[in-house]
Amino acid sequence: MGKSALAITPANKSEPWRMLLWLLMAQIMVAFIGRSLGPLGVLIEEDLSLTKAQVGLLPSALFLGQAVASIPTGFLADRFGSRPLLMVMSATLGFSFLLMTLQHNYGWVLLLIMIGGIGYGGMHPTTNRGIVYWHVQKQRGTAMGIKQMGITFGSALAAILLLPLAETHGWRIVVLYACIVLIITGVVAYYLYRDPEQGKTDNPVKATPGSTFKAIAGMAKNKALLLISLCAMGINGSQMALNTYLVLFTYEQLGINLVLAGLLLVVSEVGGSVGRIGWGVISDRVFGGERLKVMAIIVTITLFASAVVAFLPTGTPYVLLVPLFFVFGFAVSGFNGIWMNLASELVPKEQAGLSSGFSITLGSMGVIFLPPLFGLVVDQTQGYTFGWLLISFLMLIVMMLLIQLNKLKKEQQSASYHQ
């Protein structure tokens, strides 16, 4: 590999942070469009006359696209750099959602959302690679936390801006204009962001299809990585169920004004943004890097928060809902950084990129299947109680998986010690 990427630092020390700004801007705008399906779900439901299960399939389609894109985009980012992919991924999501606003057939809407999910999901490895190459090791945790915060910030922005505008002007025209802004953002990021010189010359050895599949198969045989990915499947799915149905639940069952219901989603996403950095700090400074303990705390909070939400009565004071959904979001939306750290730390350093892509792909399965299942439960029971209790039940399963993972790590440490 020659000189280390970490040894090459730009003369201007602010350059990595300026590059992070363009990565963050692209990440925010992609989340602003992709995650708009949650707050706008109630309006899309009315427009297309959908059931709750069909509403749940909207984010599922998005994350099916992400699952398809994660590993291939990681290889493309390694081969061509982040710069061209910033524009390609923004355009993929922007044009597909723009076309989606012109459709009235539910099947076409789902297909275009799935194609958009390729752009949404592909932005993760694209921006991750930029951070790895621009930031030295001691800066990467902070830089990654800021970048990951862009996802929840973009989602919160969608609830703040798009929902009130869509209620007044219609969701189609609002999303159409937002898509145009996203496409322009991708072009701006392409012209203003640049890959560092080391990133341009540090091309990986071209892998044959056989070696690629062999590497992926190796990830599938890593029991610890599989267990944490299964845990992420449950938490990821619960996170998206919360994002998809929070507005519908508080609007329909609790009788909250639609704009105020959207603000609760903002509160939840702000909690998630705080959690993405907060849990990392807690795991480093309080638990000395013991991330499994932090995951157990996150799962416990999610379990109790969903159980409390399940039994909220109509007319619950808004002032009580704000801290409840902040804590819910802090846990279930804030776990992402801990998950990514665990996924990369369970394998040798040189396999960290592939392991995170593998784990994202598997973890996305929860987002694909849980929201429509949650919606189906709501449709069948004519209420949200059993839907929220489904999340509590899932957290019990995740806790058992974490216990198994902890035992496995202890066995591996013991075997390593005796060798």
Side-chain angles (χ1 to χ4, degrees):
M1 180 172 164
K3 289 168 79 177
S4 168
L6 298 180
I8 296 179
T9 56
N12 184 352
K13 291 183 180 180
S14 67
E15 192 77 349
W17 300 105
R18 286 203 298 115
M19 293 302 109
L20 175 62
L21 176 64
W22 304 123
L23 295 174
L24 176 63
M25 183 180 73
Q27 188 74 75
I28 289 173
M29 282 307 301
V30 162
F32 180 61
I33 304 300
R35 298 285 283 271
S36 67
L37 296 171
L40 297 181
V42 61
L43 300 177
I44 297 173
E45 177 191 22
E46 292 173 3
D47 184 21
L48 298 178
S49 302
L50 305 180
T51 65
K52 294 295 185 295
Q54 287 175 318
V55 171
L57 280 172
L58 299 176
S60 295
L62 182 80
F63 283 89
L64 178 59
Q66 172 174 290
V68 169
S70 291
I71 293 176
T73 309
F75 285 120
L76 287 174
D78 284 339
R79 186 74 185 89
F80 299 106
S82 297
R83 185 174 177 239
L85 289 180
L86 287 173
M87 183 168 64
V88 171
M89 294 302 151
S90 297
T92 301
L93 176 59
F95 280 115
S96 61
F97 267 53
L98 189 153
L99 290 173
M100 182 264 289
T101 65
L102 307 177
Q103 303 300 320
H104 292 271
N105 179 278
Y106 179 66
W108 282 110
V109 167
L110 280 183
L111 177 62
L112 287 166
I113 289 174
M114 189 194 77
I115 295 170
I118 294 173
Y120 174 84
M123 191 60 79
H124 296 310
T126 298
T127 51
N128 286 351
R129 183 190 186 277
I131 287 172
V132 167
Y133 272 94
W134 270 112
H135 293 268
V136 297
Q137 191 169 359
K138 291 183 179 178
Q139 293 177 342
R140 279 184 204 157
T142 302
M144 187 67 78
I146 292 171
K147 196 276 293 186
Q148 288 295 103
M149 209 167 61
I151 301 168
T152 46
F153 182 78
S155 182
L157 207 59
I160 293 171
L161 295 179
L162 294 186
L163 182 56
L165 287 172
E167 194 180 14
T168 305
H169 303 287
W171 72 271
R172 293 177 183 275
I173 190 68
V174 169
V175 173
L176 187 147
Y177 280 117
C179 287
I180 294 172
V181 174
L182 168 62
I183 294 166
I184 293 171
T185 300
V187 174
V188 170
Y190 172 77
Y191 280 104
L192 296 179
Y193 176 85
R194 62 184 179 83
D195 289 304
E197 289 304 314
Q198 178 67 19
K200 293 175 185 175
T201 59
D202 188 28
N203 286 329
V205 176
K206 290 183 180 179
T208 64
S211 65
T212 300
F213 286 119
K214 188 176 180 180
I216 296 171
M219 294 293 115
K221 292 177 182 177
N222 186 322
K223 290 183 181 179
L225 183 61
L226 273 176
L227 284 170
I228 196 60
S229 300
L230 289 172
C231 291
M233 194 186 295
I235 306 175
N236 251 344
S238 300
Q239 174 190 341
M240 194 47 58
L242 174 66
N243 290 345
T244 304
Y245 292 101
L246 191 157
V247 173
L248 283 164
F249 165 69
T250 52
Y251 174 65
E252 293 180 352
Q253 187 154 314
L254 301 186
I256 304 294
N257 171 278
L258 187 57
V259 173
L260 290 178
L263 283 176
L264 285 176
L265 178 58
V266 174
V267 167
S268 171
E269 293 290 27
V270 168
S273 295
V274 174
R276 289 185 181 216
I277 293 179
W279 288 118
V281 172
I282 290 170
S283 71
D284 285 339
R285 299 190 179 180
V286 179
F287 292 97
E290 289 287 337
R291 307 196 200 282
L292 282 181
K293 292 179 181 177
V294 178
M295 282 286 281
I297 295 171
I298 290 171
V299 169
T300 302
I301 293 173
T302 302
L303 190 158
F304 283 106
S306 57
V308 170
V309 171
F311 296 104
L312 285 175
T314 303
T316 300
Y318 195 80
V319 70
L320 295 180
L321 296 177
V322 170
L324 174 59
F325 283 111
F326 179 88
V327 171
F328 203 160
F330 182 72
V332 78
S333 297
F335 93 107
N336 188 281
I338 297 294
W339 167 32
M340 287 291 95
N341 277 324
L342 274 168
S344 60
E345 290 167 356
L346 290 171
V347 296
K349 189 176 180 181
E350 61 272 15
Q351 296 179 339
L354 182 57
S355 73
S356 61
F358 176 84
S359 196
I360 288 171
T361 300
L362 200 56
S364 296
M365 295 299 108
V367 184
I368 293 168
F369 293 114
L370 188 58
L373 178 59
F374 186 106
L376 183 62
V377 170
V378 173
D379 286 335
Q380 295 299 316
T381 62
Q382 296 298 301
Y384 289 83
T385 299
F386 288 101
W388 297 118
L389 289 178
L390 173 64
I391 291 178
S392 297
F393 176 71
L394 269 178
M395 291 306 101
L396 288 174
I397 296 174
V398 170
M399 187 63 78
M400 288 188 282
L401 291 172
L402 285 174
I403 291 170
Q404 282 297 113
L405 178 55
N406 190 48
K407 286 181 181 177
L408 182 62
K409 285 193 74 177
K410 285 182 177 178
E411 288 173 3
Q412 290 174 344
Q413 288 169 355
S414 177
S416 168
Y417 175 77
H418 288 300
Q419 284 176 357

